[in-house]
Amino acid sequence: MHRATAVLMGVCVLTAACLYVPQLAQLVGRRALVVTVHQWSGLALPVPVLAGLVSRAFRADLGRLNRFGPHDATWLRAALRRDKRPSSRPAGKFNAGQKVYAAWIAGATLVMLGTGLMMWFTHLTPLVWRTSATFVHDWLALTVGIVLAGHIGMALADPEARRGMRTGSVDRDWAEREHPLWRP
């Protein structure tokens, strides 16, 4: 699910860049095709998550992502102080930063989907709504791009977490150090 979502989000970001950066638009050309690919990949973006709901393990992970405990407040305070000691950042399977990111990107995806549909089906809404949708869509897209760059940067800095995403398992020492409250 993560890979499928990443591919679709990557296509959305790259096609959006080709639609808004003149130098990229000139390199790619075929604007109508880029628009079509952008629209359909955006429309398909929720599909991997919806398909994942059939998995008991995925639903359990969603439950973990959706619950904040006292240890998450401690983790966030340590992060704001830039305290990198693992002992100051207690976490279960997901740390508070991952929970905040997951909630934010899920909400942003839904807003992007809604504003994108308003822009795509122009005859369904008044001009002022479409203009507002375009404004929100464009600025949120820029924000999503920046946040995704941070997400990718953090992933690149943690090879064990990437291995866990690929294989479904992580080194016990890493899990005990980075996620001491995790009880698989």
Side-chain angles (χ1 to χ4, degrees):
M1 284 177 283
H2 189 265
R3 285 186 203 119
T5 302
V7 167
L8 289 168
M9 184 66 81
V11 169
C12 285
V13 169
L14 292 175
T15 54
C18 291
L19 292 171
Y20 281 94
V21 178
Q23 295 83 356
L24 292 176
Q26 287 177 344
L27 282 175
V28 174
R30 304 197 62 188
R31 182 175 176 84
L33 176 63
V34 173
V35 168
T36 301
V37 170
H38 182 77
Q39 290 169 333
W40 284 102
S41 61
L43 194 60
L45 199 51
V47 171
V49 173
L50 295 173
L53 292 176
V54 301
S55 164
R56 184 176 300 153
F58 181 66
R59 289 192 312 271
D61 281 349
L62 286 179
R64 288 184 187 101
L65 280 168
N66 197 34
R67 299 289 181 265
F68 276 79
H71 63 280
D72 292 314
T74 303
W75 191 99
L76 288 170
R77 280 192 297 277
L80 290 172
R81 288 191 317 266
R82 298 190 184 275
D83 184 347
K84 295 190 185 284
R85 292 174 299 139
S87 62
S88 68
R89 293 189 179 196
K93 183 173 184 179
F94 301 104
N95 66 44
Q98 291 167 319
K99 292 176 181 183
V100 169
Y101 173 79
W104 187 85
I105 201 71
T109 299
L110 291 175
V111 171
M112 294 294 284
L113 180 62
T115 55
L117 287 171
M118 290 172 71
M119 294 161 54
W120 191 359
F121 297 105
T122 57
H123 62 284
L124 296 178
T125 57
L127 178 61
V128 70
W129 288 17
R130 293 191 312 270
T131 303
S132 301
T134 302
F135 178 82
V136 170
H137 195 86
D138 292 353
W139 282 102
L140 188 54
L142 178 62
T143 307
V144 166
I146 292 167
V147 171
L148 280 176
H151 177 73
I152 292 167
M154 293 190 79
L156 291 174
D158 194 344
E160 187 63 25
R162 286 195 322 272
R163 186 174 79 83
M165 290 296 295
R166 265 191 333 274
T167 66
S169 65
V170 293
D171 181 67
R172 181 173 295 279
D173 291 337
W174 178 88
E176 288 172 355
R177 183 180 67 251
E178 298 293 327
H179 300 269
L181 304 177
W182 181 12
R183 308 279 186 259

